[in-house]
Every structure is written in C-alpha cells, then in structure tokens.
Amino acid sequence: MSFLETPSCPEIEAQNVPESDKQFLGCQSWDADNLCVESYHAETLYYTTRWDALCPYVDVSPRMLQMAKRPFIVYAVPPESLYGVPINDKYGLVHAGNPEFWTEPRRQRKFKELEKLCKDFVTTTSVVPGSHFTSKDVYALGGEHFANYYIHEQEVEGFVDYIRDLDVLVIQVHASNGDLVLTDVSILLPDRQQVYGSFCQWSRAYKNKSPGIYACLLASRWTADNGYKFYNLGPVDDYGYKALFVTDFEPIFALALTAEDHPLALDSSSPLHTDFKPELWNRTHRHA
C-alpha cells in the first residue's frame, strides 16, 4: 500500500458521513458534530480538532480523517504514531527529573532571584481526577486566558473529554492580600513520564513578578518532586521566555488535508505554509 495519500484516496476522502455513535481513540472521543473546530487565518476558514488548543498529543484514524471537514489540520500527533509529518515547530521539554537541571549556574541564579521576588506568595497544589471536571470548572480556572487567546468553547469541551481518565495538576498562587496571582493547569501523563502544561492564567496586576515564569518554575519543581522526568512546555518557537527552562526538544508531527487551490493553500502566510512544507500537504503517514 502507498503511504503517500491525497484527499482523493478512499481512506481519507472527506465524505458526508452520517451521524453515528460516538467514536473513541485513546484519550479522545468525538462524533460528526463536534470533531472539527472552526479556525481562521485572516478571513479564511479552516478546521482543527477540538483537542487542538489545550491537549498534548492528538491521535488520528482513517475514520476521523473521513469525517473531517476541509481544510483540516491536526497538530501534535504522537511521536510514535504512523501518522503525521514533522512541522516547523517543536515541543520544549524541561528535564526536571535530572538533578543537573537545578544546579546549572545561570538557571540556579535566575530561580533564586525569582523565588526572592515571589517570597510573599502562598502556593497551593492539588492533583484532581480529570473525571471530576466540567467545562464550567475549567472556565472558572482559565476563562480570561481562553478569551485572550481565542480558545473556542469546543476546545474547552475537548479538554474535558481528553482528561476524563487522566489526573490534572492545579497550581494556584495567592498574594498576601488574598489576590489570585496565577492558576496553572497541567495534564499528568505517567506513561510518557511527562507533566504537560495546558494553560496558565495570571493577573496582569502582578506582571512585574513574572507570574508566567514563576508558574513554570513551580510546575517544574512539582515534576521533579513527584517522580516525573519531563515538564512539557508545549510549542516553543514563539515563546522566548521558555528558553530558561528547556533542556530537550521533541519534534511536533502534524498533518494537513487541503485542496491545493483552496484560499488557505494560496496564501503564503497561512499555517499551511508557515508550519508545513507544501510537498507534505495531504501526506497522512509518517514514512513514505
């Protein structure tokens, strides 16, 4: 069989798939109504999955690809999957379980400065079964963040779906006057020895305390103290502050299904061009 497939191939051709029972794959479940989330590049509509914004690794299957609307982009396919091709971004991993991470001189100095800056803060940490969360609970933790970064309510629902059999780490930091400085939420992935940072909401009133960086430090320490190997900071290309923490990089694999004459494909500034090499559009499998 050919591993280089295009939308005209029966396995992945978009079809008018009738509504059916819920589909399950790994941590994901979906149906014909909630699989695809509308995304926009300028005025051009395309589709991503409901796990795109907040979840670490998104599995795909022939059935999913058949059900998806076009153009369809799936980011962060698991590195061990047969699906997906490498794109122009990567995950930044913090090897927090390695003692040398904490003793590197520059990092050690920066961490001490940050802890001194935040010494009056009070930190609470809890591990909560994902099955305990509703979308309302997640909005209570990160609603402002979702609004600021245009995270769709369907992606919040996708997060609730993804974590139903996983545990979630919630770190909250309060100032001495009771203000909530930050809320940091991560998914625990014991099979990968990872803690994946899903989102962090922090108060702009405390911007001078570097709350986003402090959250990374707290999550990295929890990772090390609880026997995990890596804290996964997510994609790193657009976030320079993560450089202080990142020790390892993991390729991000993805796939893009599109007609070559679609407006998204004709726009050189679209995700099809910035994230993918055009010769990899419509290639579903890792190795040709």
Side-chain angles (χ1 to χ4, degrees):
M1 105 182 218
S2 171
F3 288 99
L4 183 61
E5 296 158 332
T6 68
S8 62
C9 291
E11 182 186 352
I12 65 171
E13 185 175 0
Q15 302 175 4
N16 292 322
V17 179
E19 290 188 18
S20 59
D21 294 339
K22 185 181 288 187
Q23 304 290 309
F24 291 90
L25 180 64
C27 295
Q28 304 152 213
S29 71
W30 74 94
D31 58 33
D33 291 330
N34 65 19
L35 169 61
C36 293
V37 175
E38 293 185 354
S39 298
Y40 286 89
H41 175 71
E43 301 296 320
T44 304
L45 172 66
Y46 66 100
Y47 299 93
T48 54
T49 70
R50 69 189 193 128
W51 312 284
D52 180 71
L54 301 173
C55 303
Y57 297 100
V58 179
D59 275 307
V60 298
S61 68
R63 178 63 170 166
M64 179 189 293
L65 300 182
Q66 286 177 340
M67 296 171 74
K69 301 174 183 179
R70 305 288 195 270
F72 185 53
I73 300 179
V74 183
Y75 288 105
V77 180
E80 69 277 6
S81 174
L82 295 176
Y83 289 90
V85 296
I87 63 169
N88 300 324
D89 203 349
K90 48 197 174 291
Y91 273 161
L93 303 182
V94 182
H95 196 172
N98 183 354
E100 293 181 3
F101 170 80
W102 301 101
T103 57
E104 191 274 325
R106 178 178 177 274
R107 189 177 292 125
Q108 191 176 54
R109 184 178 71 254
K110 290 289 186 180
F111 288 171
K112 286 182 178 179
E113 292 172 357
L114 187 57
E115 288 171 332
K116 183 177 180 179
L117 187 65
C118 300
K119 62 183 176 62
D120 294 329
F121 290 163
V122 177
T123 300
T124 57
T125 303
S126 58
V127 174
V128 185
S131 58
H132 290 188
F133 285 90
T134 65
S135 294
K136 183 177 180 180
D137 296 327
V138 178
Y139 269 104
L141 296 172
E144 291 181 15
H145 173 82
F146 304 151
N148 291 337
Y149 288 90
Y150 305 104
I151 294 174
H152 199 283
E153 63 181 16
Q154 289 176 263
E155 292 175 307
V156 176
E157 292 170 1
F159 175 78
V160 173
D161 170 67
Y162 195 96
I163 63 174
R164 65 187 184 276
D165 293 322
L166 298 170
D167 288 335
V168 175
L169 171 67
V170 180
I171 299 174
Q172 292 192 307
V173 173
H174 289 81
S176 56
N177 64 1
D179 286 351
L180 179 59
V181 178
L182 68 88
T183 298
D184 189 80
V185 176
S186 301
I187 301 174
L188 303 186
L189 303 171
D191 291 347
R192 298 182 184 277
Q193 299 186 61
Q194 281 190 24
V195 175
Y196 179 82
S198 286
F199 62 89
C200 180
Q201 177 171 288
W202 50 271
S203 170
R204 298 288 172 181
Y206 291 87
K207 185 177 180 179
N208 64 338
K209 301 287 189 179
S210 301
I213 300 176
Y214 189 52
C216 292
L217 174 58
L218 294 173
S220 296
R221 285 205 185 280
W222 190 96
T223 298
D225 291 344
N226 289 273
Y228 286 82
K229 187 174 183 179
F230 290 110
Y231 176 53
N232 188 335
L233 282 164
V236 294
D237 274 2
D238 295 331
Y239 303 95
Y241 73 89
K242 295 181 179 181
L244 176 64
F245 292 86
V246 172
T247 59
D248 299 79
F249 294 103
E250 180 180 275
I252 294 178
F253 297 94
L255 58 86
L257 304 181
T258 184
E260 293 188 0
D261 61 351
H262 190 279
L264 196 72
L266 299 177
D267 183 345
S268 61
S269 67
S270 81
L272 289 176
H273 291 272
T274 58
D275 292 336
F276 295 83
K277 297 177 181 178
E279 61 267 26
L280 297 180
W281 298 348
N282 299 317
R283 176 169 153 183
T284 59
H285 283 72
R286 186 75 44 91
H287 303 291

